[in-house]
Amino acid sequence: MKKFNFRKVLDGLTAASPVGSSGGGSGSGAGGSVHPGGTAGAAGTPREEIQETLTSDYFQICKTVRHGFPYLPTALAFDPVQKILAIGTRTGAIRILGRPGVDCYCQHESGAAVLQLQFLINEGALVSACADDALHLWNLRQKRPAILHSLKFNRERITYCHLPFQSKWLYVGTERGNTHIVNIESFILSGYVIMWNKAIELSTKTHPGPVVHLSDSPRDEGKLLIGYENGTIVFWDLRSKRADLRAYYDEAIHSVAWHHEGKQFMCSHSDGSLTLWNLKSPNRPFQTTIPHGKVQRDGKKPESCKPILKVEYKTCKNSEPFVIFSGGLSYDKPCRRPSLTIMHGKAITVLEMDHPIVDFLTLCETPYPNEFQEPYAVVVLLEKDLIVVDLTQSNFPIFENPYPIDIHESPVTCTEYFADCPPDLIPVLYSVGAKHKKQGYSNKEWPISGGAWNLGAQTYPEIIITGHADGSVKFWDASAITLQMLYKLKTSKVFEKQKVGEGKATAEIVEEDPFAVQMMYWCPESRIFCVAGVSAYVIVYRFSKHEVNTEIASLEVRLQCEVEDIITPEPETNPPFPDASSQLPSLKSLSGSTNTVACEGTMKDSIPCLSVKARPVRMPPGYQADLVIQLVWVDGEPPQQITSLAVNSAYGLVAFGNCNGLAVVDFMQKTVLLSMGTLDLYGSSDPYQRQPRSPRKSRQFAADNFCMRGLSNFYPDLTKRIRTSYQSLTELSDSPVSLELERCKSPTSENRENSFSRSRSSSVSSIDRDSKEAITALYFMESFARKNDSAVSSCLWVGTGLGMVIILSLNLPASDDLRQSEPVMVSPSGTVLTLKGAVLTFACLDCMGTLTHQPYEVWRDPHSADDGDKTRKRKLVMHSPSSSQDMGDHQFAVICSEKQAKVFSLPSQTCLYVHNITETSFLLRADVVTLCNSVCLACFCANGHIMTLSLPSLRPLLDINYLPVTDMRIARTFCFTNEGQALYLSSPTEIQRLTYSQEMCDNLQDMLGDLFTPVETPEAQNRGFLKGLFGGSGQAFDREELFGEATAGKASRSLAQHIPGSGGIEGVRGAAGGVIGDLTRARIALDERGQKLGELDERTASMMASAEAFSKHAHEVMLKYKDKKWYQF
């Protein structure tokens, strides 16, 4: 019913004024090109033919998976039985990693930094301690972990936690020096507290500082070792509630590690020293070493070093123990990189790291602390990397990391996402990428191998492409919600390296990252790939399986937008539409360029920003540069950033634009077909009356009003212009910045121009409109170029920052034989359409409402063995109608701007549908995508809304305020693709994928990996019969009896507040998905019930035996005294 009314309203709008709702002025100036010629009835005819299948029931938004390295890591934990790893971050996130495919992201609602993580080993649970002094218990027995309990400390700050193996009592140390005990099952605080003033000697006058270490003795679970920051160590007897021994050291303690026998422990200190203590003689350490300290000649104590932040002391049955620590380097080497030191016997190995060490863990064969540990690997968490070192080989090689944690190897500057692409692409890209893999990794299996994962039902191929600040481009296999790198392309290799000291003297406009990738365009079918770089260049790549040694063809293009050229045309200016045959392929280098204008001495002119290699270059199999196109300096002004890019393999053309104008290049003939200012594209159809002005006045205005302009007018500031625009993206910082402010700095992608060329100031807007109009969207398609054309022809649709759409006609040679020799002609068709806001995207639907694919050339290897065969022709897929009856005599053009979407019927150019998407905000991204064999328009708005509209009727299907744009990174990298998928860069190091498809949300549980798998806990090796029977140490230690409410009493209510988590309900709903989850939970419940019944049975039997013994004893006493008188007792 709603649908019907909505269409009626649209019918009324269309009949009255088809473009009336598109805003003031949209119909003026464009004349008959904009207003439909047909009647309202005619406009309604195609509407009745198309049955739209998509409804709002097809849409739902949910996050699917997060890839990449956890941003700003703070904590690390490992479950040695389940073999899964957890990483906590400063933003309150936890990433849990297992075997490849098992990768889970969860987030604390508070956003507080994670201080420490502790697994309940082989229990499927994890405890997190956060900077807001809250403890949380996570249930990992479900695919999406949830919090079961939380405990918020009110009066004390948490500094350290320790959970003994197979214990349900968690020790919590605080900043005040007290130690509290929490029941993990109920998450209630025990009344048992170890107060700092009871732990230290009464004669001590100073506070010992925060608790920095807690651990129970491997020999006796009833003894707790407490380390205080100031160097005090207390060995606390939990039963007798007193200190067994105390030890003192002059330097602050950072960490403590036990020898597995429980007779010795090692401490690391702030002066770079390691001390080894014996419980029998706690007065002083029996061994003190400063591993990296210089030995003094006079026999004095070695020089102090940097603090050793953590030490681990791991024993081996058949070799010397391992002592592994981070930090402790000498102060006299300030440039030394962060290091991990491995001491094994007398050998000391220092492993230098690329980034600071956050934490490390030694992986051991046994979970029991009182057995030989047998370490086999060390997991090292760095600020920007995760590495695992193999301890079983003497050279300590690292394992090859199977996770995609190197996304940020160079900062990501742009992304593209392709779902349901040709299936042969992934193996082809992998085969060329595998040849460049690094060598020297450990030959052992990746040790973090926990969890379970299967492919699930979704099997279509997906590829993600990331462009980076160093000019590299990475292709990733993203199928079935995993991510694996396929192939890396280095675009900077086509340019000469700048020698040190040359940068200032050359024509470079970017001081840092001159090769940063700004925009990418990929045609999966033809395998043509194109990048636009920040230094105003475009590179066209072709894919080949063969290595080739060849020169790189290059062209130089002048793009200037000077209205004054009408008055004083320069002699070397090319005519607006030059004869293509006069343009010859050129191989120019920077050294060969000269300043053509020398009237002002050092004024740069006709110089590209970078120098293309002039010598033959070896190109390995994969993507090989076919053509480099560079914009050049014009009259001392640098080329402007490229704001839009499109390539078509069938036409053999590449088009790109910036705030000055548009260039069209034939990459088959290596010629420039078109290079002209945006104003000249209109010809006589220019809807705005622009007055010519003098050049001096124009430039003066630009400088005076720099702060009032958007990105498209940033040209006066030469060196800092592009560098500052990239700063917020390439720096690995995550500070939120006002979007309105950042819009003026955005460097990337066509739709970021948005309303940049329209100043918010009304007094400036008319002059802005006169001077610069950025090209914001380009699209090649077979379409009706002019009103009432009878047949489709090759066209280039051009969208501008002012919401204008210009259609250019492409006149291609009739036969393939003539394509290499005959010129391609580009001419304006005279058609101009208008929208509100900068144009973002185009698409074309046939008369049945099906998405029309752009024409493409079927891929063929340009360097294959039969290259000499002249008879081999290009195979083109044009998607043009075989006959006009089959196709119909019209098509739909879908155009979306940052403010509204319109659907035009072609060739009549009637505006059939219009939808004003937003009035108060603006769109950052819009894509026409396929979903469930239908098509829709997906939009992402700057106010955080994700919307979908039906096509062609533009009915709203989904509108959810889902993702607040806290920084420009999200705005720059957000993209939609087919099958209801989307992604964005959630942090400088992570890609977040999401779906807007109801079907995928429903199937997500099956696609995600299981974190918990049933594994038997290994049996303890060195336990005797009695220990195995009763558990614990030599004398049984019952924590329940000691810490339970019956003995210890209740803790103060004001000390901590228990908060029940939502994980109970969510866990039951989502755990393991459906019936299997129910069965698993039922089995666990039965096991627990059986265990409790078994315990009850044992107790009952014991009580019965005791009762029988008592009865027997009583009977014997009775018989003994039965015949005696009272006075005989």
Side-chain angles (χ1 to χ4, degrees):
M1 198 67 190
K2 211 172 191 179
K3 202 184 298 179
F4 178 76
N5 290 341
F6 191 74
R7 289 191 173 189
K8 284 289 183 190
V9 171
L10 281 173
D11 284 344
L13 284 170
T14 310
S17 173
V19 290
S21 60
S22 64
S26 62
S28 62
S33 324
V34 177
H35 287 279
T39 63
T45 308
R47 214 174 304 179
E48 292 156 17
E49 294 173 6
I50 296 170
Q51 293 295 318
E52 292 177 4
T53 56
L54 290 180
T55 63
S56 57
D57 298 335
Y58 283 80
F59 296 93
Q60 184 189 336
I61 287 186
C62 67
K63 291 179 180 176
T64 53
V65 68
R66 184 172 290 212
H67 302 297
F69 181 75
Y71 183 58
L72 300 174
T74 53
L76 185 65
F78 183 71
D79 186 325
V81 180
Q82 286 289 322
K83 295 196 184 303
I84 54 174
L85 187 81
I87 299 172
T89 75
R90 201 182 300 169
T91 57
I94 298 175
R95 283 283 288 284
I96 304 167
L97 303 167
R99 66 176 67 244
V102 177
D103 185 343
C104 180
Y105 166 83
C106 22
Q107 175 74 45
H108 292 94
E109 282 184 15
S110 65
V114 178
L115 298 178
Q116 202 179 345
L117 295 170
Q118 289 264 304
F119 275 104
L120 277 68
I121 294 172
N122 205 25
E123 294 290 336
L126 176 73
V127 174
S128 60
C130 295
D132 61 349
D133 307 306
L135 295 170
H136 307 277
L137 178 66
W138 293 85
N139 177 15
L140 306 184
R141 292 183 180 234
Q142 55 195 63
K143 294 199 175 186
R144 285 193 180 274
I147 292 174
L148 292 169
H149 300 282
S150 296
L151 189 67
K152 179 84 165 65
F153 280 75
N154 298 322
R155 296 188 309 207
E156 298 201 49
R157 309 220 64 183
I158 298 169
T159 55
Y160 195 87
C161 298
H162 171 63
L163 180 66
F165 179 45
Q166 294 181 326
S167 165
K168 68 173 185 178
W169 297 95
L170 175 75
Y171 302 115
V172 182
T174 69
E175 197 173 45
R176 289 188 184 176
N178 302 326
T179 302
H180 300 276
I181 299 165
V182 177
N183 184 320
I184 288 297
E185 289 178 352
S186 61
F187 241 57
I188 293 173
L189 210 57
S190 165
Y192 192 113
V193 185
I194 305 169
M195 303 300 286
W196 68 270
N197 53 353
K198 299 277 180 70
I200 64 169
E201 282 184 322
L202 294 174
S203 58
T204 308
K205 294 179 180 177
T206 56
H207 190 279
V211 174
V212 294
H213 179 82
L214 291 167
S215 60
D216 52 340
S217 164
R219 200 176 183 187
D220 183 358
E221 294 170 344
K223 303 286 176 69
L224 184 69
L225 189 73
I226 308 171
Y228 294 96
E229 191 179 60
N230 75 344
T232 302
I233 298 158
V234 175
F235 197 47
W236 184 264
D237 189 330
L238 292 163
R239 299 183 193 85
S240 61
K241 299 184 183 179
R242 62 180 179 81
D244 263 13
L245 62 88
R246 297 181 182 92
Y248 301 95
Y249 194 68
D250 297 338
E251 297 292 336
I253 292 175
H254 283 283
S255 72
V256 183
W258 279 101
H259 186 282
H260 82 273
E261 291 177 350
K263 297 174 184 176
Q264 300 172 3
F265 60 87
M266 184 179 284
C267 300
S268 72
H269 300 277
S270 56
D271 64 343
S273 64
L274 295 172
T275 55
L276 197 57
W277 300 78
N278 197 313
L279 293 181
K280 289 182 178 177
S281 53
N283 297 329
R284 59 187 180 85
F286 77 85
Q287 186 181 321
T288 303
T289 55
I290 301 183
H292 294 297
K294 284 185 179 177
V295 180
Q296 305 291 340
R297 289 180 182 176
D298 52 3
K300 288 183 182 176
K301 185 182 171 185
E303 278 184 3
S304 63
C305 295
K306 293 176 184 175
I308 293 178
L309 300 176
K310 183 175 183 180
V311 65
E312 295 215 334
Y313 187 20
K314 301 297 180 184
T315 52
C316 305
K317 201 167 190 177
N318 300 319
S319 70
E320 296 284 328
F322 279 90
V323 175
I324 303 167
F325 61 88
S326 62
L329 295 178
S330 175
Y331 278 109
D332 63 357
K333 293 181 180 174
C335 298
R336 193 103 177 253
R337 292 193 293 178
S339 299
L340 184 82
T341 305
I342 301 172
M343 298 168 65
H344 188 216
K346 292 181 179 179
I348 298 180
T349 306
V350 179
L351 304 177
E352 291 194 336
M353 305 294 168
D354 292 331
H355 309 286
I357 296 171
V358 174
D359 198 0
F360 73 90
L361 284 174
T362 310
L363 309 189
C364 301
E365 295 289 354
T366 176
Y368 295 95
N370 58 350
E371 297 178 354
F372 281 103
Q373 297 298 287
E374 304 296 347
Y376 60 89
V378 183
V379 179
V380 189
L381 178 64
L382 308 176
E383 273 188 7
K384 296 173 188 174
D385 203 358
L386 176 75
I387 65 166
V388 182
V389 181
D390 185 354
L391 292 179
T392 61
Q393 297 180 46
S394 57
N395 60 337
F396 302 130
I398 65 168
F399 289 87
E400 185 176 5
N401 198 318
Y403 310 132
I405 59 167
D406 57 345
I407 292 171
H408 64 288
E409 187 178 21
S410 171
V412 177
T413 52
C414 56
T415 56
E416 291 296 336
Y417 190 6
F418 298 86
D420 210 6
C421 45
D424 60 332
L425 275 174
I426 288 173
V428 162
L429 287 167
Y430 183 79
S431 66
V432 294
K435 295 169 186 174
H436 305 291
K437 283 202 170 181
K438 292 178 183 175
Q439 303 298 318
Y441 290 113
S442 169
N443 53 11
K444 298 278 181 70
E445 288 287 319
W446 179 251
I448 304 161
S449 56
W453 179 78
N454 54 18
L455 273 168
Q458 179 196 326
T459 52
Y460 53 81
E462 297 170 73
I463 290 177
I464 292 171
I465 309 177
T466 53
H468 299 264
D470 64 353
S472 61
V473 174
K474 292 180 181 177
F475 291 77
W476 306 83
D477 176 7
S479 309
I481 70 169
T482 61
L483 197 69
Q484 181 184 10
M485 192 161 89
L486 296 170
Y487 173 67
K488 182 177 178 180
L489 171 68
K490 294 180 180 176
T491 64
S492 59
K493 285 195 170 182
V494 304
F495 299 107
E496 297 284 2
K497 286 183 181 175
Q498 290 291 342
K499 291 177 184 173
V500 180
E502 260 189 23
K504 302 289 180 190
T506 63
E508 273 194 45
I509 52 173
V510 185
E511 290 175 10
E512 293 176 9
D513 303 318
F515 308 113
V517 178
Q518 196 171 354
M519 216 171 287
M520 301 177 293
Y521 193 101
W522 191 43
C523 175
E525 290 80 11
S526 65
R527 301 187 190 173
I528 292 279
F529 182 62
C530 198
V531 295
V534 73
S535 297
Y537 61 81
V538 170
I539 310 174
V540 181
Y541 286 92
R542 288 181 183 272
F543 188 86
S544 174
K545 294 180 181 178
H546 303 278
E547 184 177 310
V548 68
N549 218 332
T550 183
E551 290 191 354
I552 301 167
S554 70
L555 290 172
E556 292 174 5
V557 177
R558 287 173 72 90
L559 259 189
Q560 55 185 337
C561 176
E562 298 289 351
V563 185
E564 61 270 18
D565 285 352
I566 301 165
I567 306 168
T568 56
E570 295 180 11
E572 71 269 19
T573 303
N574 293 326
F577 293 94
D579 181 7
S581 59
S582 66
Q583 301 283 334
L584 299 172
S586 60
L587 283 161
K588 298 181 183 177
S589 67
L590 186 62
S591 57
S593 302
T594 55
N595 290 350
T596 55
V597 178
C599 57
E600 292 183 33
T602 57
M603 182 184 284
K604 296 186 181 78
D605 191 73
S606 300
I607 304 174
C609 300
L610 301 170
S611 173
V612 178
K613 289 178 180 175
R615 62 185 182 280
V617 177
R618 186 189 74 83
M619 298 183 191
Y623 274 105
Q624 300 168 349
D626 189 53
L627 176 65
V628 180
I629 309 152
Q630 293 192 89
L631 295 180
V632 296
W633 287 64
V634 178
D635 296 341
E637 290 187 6
Q640 299 298 290
Q641 290 182 8
I642 291 164
T643 55
S644 55
L645 175 68
V647 190
N648 191 281
S649 55
Y651 302 160
L653 302 180
V654 56
F656 58 93
N658 62 10
C659 61
N660 284 336
L662 171 72
V664 182
V665 172
D666 182 341
F667 62 81
M668 293 180 72
Q669 295 186 28
K670 311 287 191 290
T671 57
V672 180
L673 302 179
L674 175 74
S675 169
M676 60 159 46
T678 314
L679 309 187
D680 299 323
L681 293 172
Y682 290 102
S684 59
S685 306
D686 187 358
Y688 298 116
Q689 304 303 313
R690 307 176 206 242
Q691 299 301 320
R693 296 168 301 171
S694 71
R696 190 61 54 197
K697 198 171 177 184
S698 158
R699 285 182 191 136
Q700 186 63 41
F701 179 84
D704 292 346
N705 292 277
F706 181 77
C707 61
M708 301 170 72
R709 298 298 190 91
L711 168 71
S712 58
N713 299 308
F714 259 28
Y715 65 93
D717 190 350
L718 307 186
T719 54
K720 293 182 182 175
R721 180 178 59 84
I722 301 179
R723 182 188 171 194
T724 52
S725 68
Y726 262 92
Q727 211 159 7
S728 63
L729 193 61
T730 55
E731 284 179 1
L732 289 184
S733 62
D734 211 23
S735 52
V737 185
S738 162
L739 193 62
E740 285 297 322
L741 177 70
E742 276 284 351
R743 291 179 79 185
C744 300
K745 302 201 297 183
S746 167
T748 54
S749 66
E750 61 203 56
N751 50 10
R752 312 307 181 243
E753 278 299 329
N754 301 4
S755 53
F756 293 154
S757 42
R758 298 182 311 291
S759 173
R760 297 288 180 250
S761 165
S762 58
S763 60
V764 180
S765 61
S766 60
I767 311 172
D768 271 357
R769 192 179 281 165
D770 286 350
S771 57
K772 301 256 179 149
E773 184 175 357
I775 306 292
T776 57
L778 294 166
Y779 191 74
F780 288 102
M781 67 168 129
E782 293 285 296
S783 180
F784 298 94
R786 294 171 185 81
K787 199 167 185 179
N788 301 322
D789 272 4
S790 58
V792 294
S793 59
S794 304
C795 297
L796 172 61
W797 287 60
V798 181
T800 77
L802 292 182
M804 310 303 292
V805 177
I806 305 158
I807 304 177
L808 300 181
S809 289
L810 309 174
N811 191 357
L812 297 159
S815 68
D816 189 50
D817 300 336
L818 302 172
R819 180 62 186 85
Q820 293 288 357
S821 54
E822 289 290 313
V824 177
M825 304 302 291
V826 183
S827 58
S829 65
T831 300
V832 178
L833 308 172
T834 59
L835 286 87
K836 273 198 296 187
V839 179
L840 297 183
T841 192
F842 297 105
C844 186
L845 310 180
D846 65 18
C847 63
M848 302 306 293
T850 308
L851 185 64
T852 305
H853 199 292
Q854 287 181 294
Y856 64 88
E857 176 191 357
V858 177
W859 176 78
R860 56 175 184 165
D861 198 322
H863 304 298
S864 61
D866 61 340
D867 199 32
D869 186 4
K870 300 293 181 187
T871 59
R872 192 174 56 138
K873 290 187 176 181
R874 299 166 70 218
K875 291 180 185 175
L876 304 184
V877 181
M878 298 302 288
H879 296 283
S880 57
S882 53
S883 68
S884 57
Q885 281 80 21
D886 296 341
M887 175 71 177
D889 56 355
H890 67 275
Q891 61 182 192
F892 300 103
V894 181
I895 309 171
C896 185
S897 75
E898 64 177 3
K899 291 286 186 183
Q900 67 177 185
K902 284 187 178 182
V903 175
F904 291 91
S905 176
L906 299 178
S908 67
Q909 294 175 14
T910 306
C911 179
L912 293 178
Y913 303 97
V914 60
H915 180 71
N916 290 313
I917 297 168
T918 176
E919 294 292 339
T920 55
S921 187
F922 55 93
L923 292 188
L924 294 163
R925 179 84 184 206
D927 290 295
V928 175
V929 292
T930 58
L931 177 69
C932 301
N933 298 317
S934 193
V935 63
C936 65
L937 175 65
C939 308
F940 176 52
C941 196
N943 61 14
H945 283 250
I946 292 176
M947 294 163 276
T948 59
L949 303 172
S950 72
L951 288 176
S953 68
L954 299 177
R955 283 181 297 109
L957 299 171
L958 174 79
D959 185 352
I960 292 181
N961 185 6
Y962 189 70
L963 182 70
V965 183
T966 50
D967 56 66
M968 279 304 292
R969 184 179 304 104
I970 296 170
R972 287 174 179 138
T973 56
F974 197 101
C975 51
F976 296 99
T977 187
N978 299 330
E979 308 303 332
Q981 305 245 47
L983 67 79
Y984 62 94
L985 218 67
S986 55
S987 75
T989 62
E990 295 166 290
I991 288 175
Q992 176 68 57
R993 289 164 70 180
L994 54 101
T995 181
Y996 48 96
S997 157
Q998 176 70 57
E999 184 186 4
M1000 189 165 176
C1001 288
D1002 294 341
N1003 296 331
L1004 190 59
Q1005 282 291 331
D1006 299 329
M1007 297 165 70
L1008 294 171
D1010 288 296
L1011 295 172
F1012 180 80
T1013 51
V1015 179
E1016 285 290 327
T1017 303
E1019 287 189 12
Q1021 294 170 3
N1022 61 349
R1023 290 190 174 190
F1025 173 73
L1026 287 173
K1027 288 183 185 178
L1029 190 65
F1030 297 108
S1033 55
Q1035 44 182 316
F1037 173 61
D1038 189 350
R1039 291 189 179 92
E1040 181 71 43
E1041 186 183 332
L1042 201 57
F1043 303 146
E1045 194 177 309
T1047 310
K1050 287 185 178 180
S1052 168
R1053 285 189 178 182
S1054 60
L1055 185 61
Q1057 176 191 359
H1058 176 258
I1059 305 163
S1062 58
I1065 303 160
E1066 287 179 16
V1068 171
R1069 194 182 297 149
V1075 180
I1076 299 164
D1078 293 337
L1079 287 170
T1080 307
R1081 283 189 299 280
R1083 183 179 57 75
I1084 292 163
L1086 279 170
D1087 287 349
E1088 289 171 356
R1089 187 169 174 234
Q1091 192 178 342
K1092 286 176 182 174
L1093 283 170
E1095 289 171 5
L1096 184 65
D1097 206 21
E1098 284 172 16
R1099 277 190 207 165
T1100 308
S1102 173
M1103 285 169 71
M1104 283 175 70
S1106 176
E1108 277 180 28
F1110 180 76
S1111 171
K1112 189 178 178 183
H1113 186 63
H1115 187 67
E1116 287 172 357
V1117 170
M1118 185 268 292
L1119 290 173
K1120 186 177 179 182
Y1121 297 106
K1122 185 171 73 167
D1123 300 326
K1124 293 191 178 182
K1125 303 293 182 189
W1126 64 269
Y1127 52 81
Q1128 291 177 316
F1129 285 112

